[in-house]
Amino acid sequence: MKKTSCLITLFIILGFSFHKYYVSTSLFEFKEHSGSLQITLKICKDDFIKLINKKYDIDLENKELKGSVETKSKISEYLLSNLIIHFDDKKQELLYLGFEENNEMFTFYLELENVLSFISIKLENTILFDLFDQQLNIIHLKKDNKKRSFISRKDSFITSFDF
């Protein structure tokens, strides 16, 4: 009986407490056949709209503004300044390809072409940290048959992997 009442109480407390989670996911995938690193980044649409509005005073919900050259440039600027990659301590220049809008998510595509061999990779992901202190960025890295994962937090946003 005590166990049942404790479970009901816990359910009621959890049901009335509201906590929003701020999470993005990214996949860094090496494509050996093309010699590239392809990056897919998924971010909650509401959070990214809020960020772009606050940072650049651009309303991404406005269809005309969403497709404008200026908006695409600002999105690219933001992503490229908050997603940084080093191979063997040498910074790499990413190429922003574009984005898709899926239900409640934006999916962004970036690429690094002509990837040469390297021993270590260092990733810095500070996306949305300037908006949410609780933001978590889940990073998945795939190369050959190896897969590594890391959670980037505001106080720990750099990760390194050796291959």
Side-chain angles (χ1 to χ4, degrees):
M1 183 74 165
K2 269 188 171 182
K3 196 174 195 179
T4 305
S5 67
C6 286
L7 286 174
I8 291 171
T9 304
L10 182 62
F11 179 73
I12 290 170
I13 290 171
L14 291 176
F16 287 110
S17 67
F18 177 77
H19 183 265
K20 180 159 173 136
Y21 293 95
Y22 303 101
V23 179
S24 79
T25 60
S26 56
L27 173 61
F28 294 76
E29 188 168 11
F30 289 91
K31 299 291 187 175
E32 195 171 319
H33 65 279
S34 64
S36 67
L37 171 63
Q38 296 177 354
I39 302 162
T40 306
L41 178 63
K42 294 184 182 241
I43 301 174
C44 177
K45 187 166 39 172
D46 292 341
D47 297 343
F48 197 74
I49 287 171
K50 186 175 183 179
L51 173 101
I52 294 298
N53 193 317
K54 180 180 177 183
K55 190 165 184 73
Y56 301 110
D57 196 28
I58 295 173
D59 181 9
L60 282 180
E61 293 180 301
N62 180 325
K63 292 192 184 299
E64 292 174 13
L65 286 178
K66 190 184 296 183
S68 77
V69 172
E70 179 188 1
T71 299
K72 291 176 183 177
S73 174
K74 294 299 183 187
I75 290 172
S76 175
E77 175 186 315
Y78 180 79
L79 293 175
L80 296 178
S81 66
N82 286 279
L83 196 61
I84 299 169
I85 299 174
H86 292 83
F87 291 151
D88 299 330
D89 293 323
K90 184 177 180 216
K91 185 177 177 186
Q92 304 298 306
E93 295 300 320
L94 291 172
L95 176 63
Y96 171 70
L97 302 175
F99 74 95
E100 293 178 331
E101 191 174 336
N102 305 316
N103 298 323
E104 297 181 14
M105 302 293 284
F106 282 127
T107 303
F108 299 95
Y109 301 98
L110 299 100
E111 185 174 39
L112 180 59
E113 298 175 321
N114 304 317
V115 174
L116 302 174
S117 64
F118 61 91
I119 296 171
S120 68
I121 183 172
K122 180 169 77 172
L123 304 172
E124 297 178 38
N125 185 340
T126 57
I127 301 226
L128 295 177
F129 287 165
D130 43 355
L131 191 60
F132 304 115
D133 287 336
Q134 316 89 323
Q135 177 70 32
L136 301 175
N137 296 323
I138 301 170
I139 299 169
H140 299 291
L141 177 66
K142 288 173 77 173
K143 183 175 188 257
D144 303 324
N145 291 329
K146 296 179 185 177
K147 184 175 180 182
R148 307 253 176 99
S149 295
F150 177 76
I151 297 177
S152 174
R153 296 175 173 84
K154 192 167 189 169
D155 63 346
S156 176
F157 57 86
I158 300 174
T159 186
S160 297
F161 298 106
D162 291 327
F163 286 96

